Amino acid sequence: KLIVFPRKASKPKQGDSEPAELSNAKQLSGPVIPIQPSRLPIKARKITDEEKNTSVFKSMRIARANARLIGIREKRAKEQAEQDAIKKK
C-alpha cells in the first residue's frame, strides 16, 4: 500500500496518510530494481567498402517517406486498377 507523507509534518493536507499509518511505515531494504548485466562490447573491425558507400541518412529518409506515403500509393494503385478494368470493357 502506498503511504503518502505530508510535506510539512505540522500541516498535513487532504490525501496524506494518517499518522498511525506513518508510524508503521518501513523503509524497503534490498534491491529495488535488479541490476542487469551489461552487454559485451562490440570489438573493433575494419569498415567494409559496402558500409563506406552506403548512406544511412539517405536510406532512413527513403524508409520514412515510404512509411508516410504507403496509404496514398495504395489508393492510387487501386484507382489505376479500376481505370484499367473500365478500359478493358
Side-chain angles (χ1 to χ4, degrees):
K1 184 176 174 184
L2 180 67
I3 298 175
V4 180
F5 284 86
R7 288 188 177 189
K8 292 185 177 181
S10 60
K11 292 184 179 180
K13 291 188 175 184
Q14 183 180 4
D16 293 340
S17 297
E18 298 295 322
E21 291 177 335
L22 296 176
S23 63
N24 293 337
K26 287 193 294 186
Q27 180 79 29
L28 181 64
S29 60
V32 178
I33 299 175
I35 299 172
Q36 296 179 352
S38 61
R39 297 181 184 151
L40 295 174
I42 298 172
K43 293 187 177 181
R45 60 178 176 82
K46 284 195 170 189
I47 298 173
T48 62
D49 290 334
E50 182 183 343
E51 291 173 338
K52 282 183 184 178
N53 294 333
T54 56
S55 171
V56 176
F57 178 78
K58 193 175 188 180
S59 59
M60 285 179 66
R61 291 296 299 168
I62 291 170
R64 183 178 286 166
N66 289 341
R68 191 179 74 239
L69 298 173
I70 193 166
I72 197 161
R73 287 180 178 160
E74 287 176 356
K75 181 182 173 187
R76 285 180 186 164
K78 184 179 174 184
E79 290 173 355
Q80 187 68 33
E82 289 174 358
Q83 288 179 357
D84 290 344
I86 291 172
K87 287 182 182 179
K88 282 187 177 181
K89 289 183 181 181

